[in-house]
Amino acid sequence: MASKFQSRLVGTIILVAVGVIVLPDVLDGKKLHYKEEFASIPIKPELEGDVEVFEVLEPVEDEIALPDSPVEAIVQESSQPETVTASKENKVDDNVEIAIKPVTEKNEYQDSAWIIQLMALKNADNAKNVVKDLQKRGYQAHTKQEKTFTRVIIGPDISKSKLERQIKELEKITGSKGQLLKFKPLNP
């Protein structure tokens, strides 16, 4: 037969097993299962009320023509206020006329200007760093981006002799001998 200790131990194990298995279900009571409620989003929202309708108006054309070239206004005092005859003149006041004349753009570098093409670098960042350094030293330096490289250019300047002196100074600073070229304002 089993000893008293073994019987108590088996009884205790059975009571603990029943407590662990059965008591949570008994004490839990009615089980509630929670479900998340999803709100469905309609594919096409329903419109409330009437939809506003806007009328598209045709563009209004004015009969004012702009001049073909840039113009400048010249204000003149006039003794005869009624003598506005040309189509490019407009009457502003009784004694003041405005005559509109075409302006020709003048470029100070149009006749003869020069630049120094200092170097051409493949790395645009290096070219920008060289330009920043030269600008800090007082030179009029720029970059010109081309297909696969970036040119470092000094100028433009009207004085060819000044740029020739700068070529020697730039050779000491950068180590590259620049080339003096004629500046073309429309195609630099």
Side-chain angles (χ1 to χ4, degrees), residues 83-97:
T83 60
V84 177
T85 57
S87 63
K88 289 194 174 188
E89 295 181 1
N90 297 326
K91 182 178 159 185
V92 174
D93 196 359
D94 288 342
N95 294 329
V96 177
E97 289 182 359

Side-chain angles (χ1 to χ4, degrees), residues 7 9 23 39 47 52 85 87 95 102 108-109 123 128 132 135 137 146-147 152 155 157 160 164 178 182 188:
S7 299
L9 187 61
L23 281 179
L47 299 176
E52 292 184 40
T85 57
S87 63
N95 294 329
E108 63 184 76
Y109 300 118
N123 190 339
K128 289 177 185 174
K132 285 181 186 176
Q135 286 174 345
R137 295 175 186 246
E146 297 200 3
K147 294 178 184 175
V152 177
D157 199 345
K160 184 177 179 180
E164 287 173 344
K182 188 137 177 113

Side-chain angles (χ1 to χ4, degrees), residues 70-117:
V71 295
E72 71 179 23
I74 300 174
V75 179
Q76 300 174 354
E77 291 290 327
S78 174
S79 61
Q80 298 174 351
E82 301 296 325
T83 60
V84 177
T85 57
S87 63
K88 289 194 174 188
E89 295 181 1
N90 297 326
K91 182 178 159 185
V92 174
D93 196 359
D94 288 342
N95 294 329
V96 177
E97 289 182 359
I98 295 180
I100 300 175
K101 297 180 181 178
V103 176
T104 57
E105 293 183 21
K106 293 182 181 176
N107 188 349
E108 63 184 76
Y109 300 118
Q110 194 169 17
D111 295 330
S112 62
W114 301 89
I115 60 171
I116 300 172
Q117 180 178 306

